[in-house]
Amino acid sequence: MKKFAKIFIVLAIAIGSALSFCPLAFSYMVKYKEDFYKLYHVHYQQYPDDCMENIYWLEQAVRADFANPLYARAKIQTKEEWEKYRNLFQMHLNLKLIEQHMRLARVYDRRAICFYDAPWKDEYMANLKKAKSCYEAGLYYWREARLWSEKASETKFRFLFLEDLTNWEDENKRIADAELDYKKILERELVRVSAEIEKLESMGRSY
């Protein structure tokens, strides 16, 4: 994750500069978790900058406070619903962060290194290491998603279903039932990428 820290800092400065022209919008509209989540969006054709922008907004959402329950993304009437809502939201944000890191990894991931790639060894090596760091970051977010899913699946919520958040409830159930397991996917990708990096390290620079 450290490898992308400088990129995120530059991105944060650029976004902050853009929003500085409208201070009221930034201080009022983009303040709570729900506000930052609205800035997350997925393009049909998603480029690295789009992924990094989404990662930035999602990270801000993870750290931000929740808005008043009146402005939640679901109808909240009880303290139990409010607690489960917060757990599901945190789980969902971490799942989206995994997806965005995997999308970003695919940009840099050369899935099969061949002998004729030797002249571009250094470039491919740098890209594969970026892909590897994305997959490693995904594992961190998966641990977080699992943690919040466990909180949202506690016994006291057994008969509580937030109908306005059917997709989040579905994600939670799939995690609980082990139908959704990003750990397996990410670890498989890490093994493959590490093998490709080792292949490049053993190469010369010509063929």
Side-chain angles (χ1 to χ4, degrees), residues 39-51:
L39 296 172
Y40 158 76
H41 55 282
V42 178
H43 301 279
Y44 176 75
Q45 183 73 29
Q46 196 157 7
Y47 296 99
D49 286 350
D50 298 320
C51 291

Side-chain angles (χ1 to χ4, degrees), residues 25 36 93 111 124 130 155 157 168 179 186 200 206:
F36 282 110
L93 288 172
R111 303 196 66 81
Y124 290 157
K130 289 178 184 177
T155 305
F157 300 130
W168 295 5
E179 293 178 10
L186 291 163
L200 278 173
S206 61

Side-chain angles (χ1 to χ4, degrees), residues 58-109:
L58 289 168
E59 283 282 10
Q60 296 304 306
V62 167
R63 290 191 288 267
D65 292 330
F66 286 91
N68 186 284
L70 286 172
Y71 306 106
R73 297 183 64 85
K75 186 177 181 180
I76 303 297
Q77 294 182 309
T78 67
K79 289 183 178 180
E80 289 73 22
E81 289 177 345
W82 177 229
E83 183 179 355
K84 185 174 186 181
Y85 167 80
R86 287 178 288 158
N87 293 333
L88 286 176
F89 204 158
Q90 289 291 88
M91 175 205 71
H92 179 72
L93 288 172
N94 280 282
L95 290 177
K96 291 304 171 185
L97 277 162
I98 296 171
E99 291 177 8
Q100 288 301 304
H101 277 84
M102 290 182 69
R103 281 176 175 263
L104 188 58
R106 293 189 194 107
V107 174
Y108 301 109
D109 192 350

Side-chain angles (χ1 to χ4, degrees), residues 31-178:
K31 180 178 180 181
Y32 297 107
K33 196 177 298 286
E34 289 82 357
D35 300 326
F36 282 110
Y37 182 69
K38 290 177 184 178
L39 296 172
Y40 158 76
H41 55 282
V42 178
H43 301 279
Y44 176 75
Q45 183 73 29
Q46 196 157 7
Y47 296 99
D49 286 350
D50 298 320
C51 291
M52 286 188 286
E53 181 186 350
N54 274 335
I55 289 170
Y56 174 80
W57 292 128
L58 289 168
E59 283 282 10
Q60 296 304 306
V62 167
R63 290 191 288 267
D65 292 330
F66 286 91
N68 186 284
L70 286 172
Y71 306 106
R73 297 183 64 85
K75 186 177 181 180
I76 303 297
Q77 294 182 309
T78 67
K79 289 183 178 180
E80 289 73 22
E81 289 177 345
W82 177 229
E83 183 179 355
K84 185 174 186 181
Y85 167 80
R86 287 178 288 158
N87 293 333
L88 286 176
F89 204 158
Q90 289 291 88
M91 175 205 71
H92 179 72
L93 288 172
N94 280 282
L95 290 177
K96 291 304 171 185
L97 277 162
I98 296 171
E99 291 177 8
Q100 288 301 304
H101 277 84
M102 290 182 69
R103 281 176 175 263
L104 188 58
R106 293 189 194 107
V107 174
Y108 301 109
D109 192 350
R110 187 169 180 82
R111 303 196 66 81
I113 296 297
C114 299
F115 73 94
Y116 49 72
D117 291 323
W120 303 279
K121 173 181 177 178
D122 292 342
E123 179 183 347
Y124 290 157
M125 179 78 76
N127 284 342
L128 282 173
K129 287 182 177 180
K130 289 178 184 177
K132 183 179 180 181
S133 67
C134 286
Y135 293 132
E136 288 171 340
L139 283 175
Y140 166 78
Y141 294 116
W142 174 243
R143 289 191 291 272
E144 289 294 301
R146 284 287 306 273
L147 174 65
W148 290 106
S149 175
E150 288 173 6
K151 291 178 180 292
S153 302
E154 291 179 2
T155 305
K156 60 184 175 182
F157 300 130
R158 180 175 297 174
F159 302 108
L160 177 58
F161 186 87
L162 300 182
E163 295 183 359
D164 294 335
L165 299 174
T166 302
N167 58 325
W168 295 5
E169 290 277 13
D170 180 61
E171 288 173 344
N172 186 42
K173 187 176 187 306
R174 290 176 64 209
I175 292 174
D177 294 343

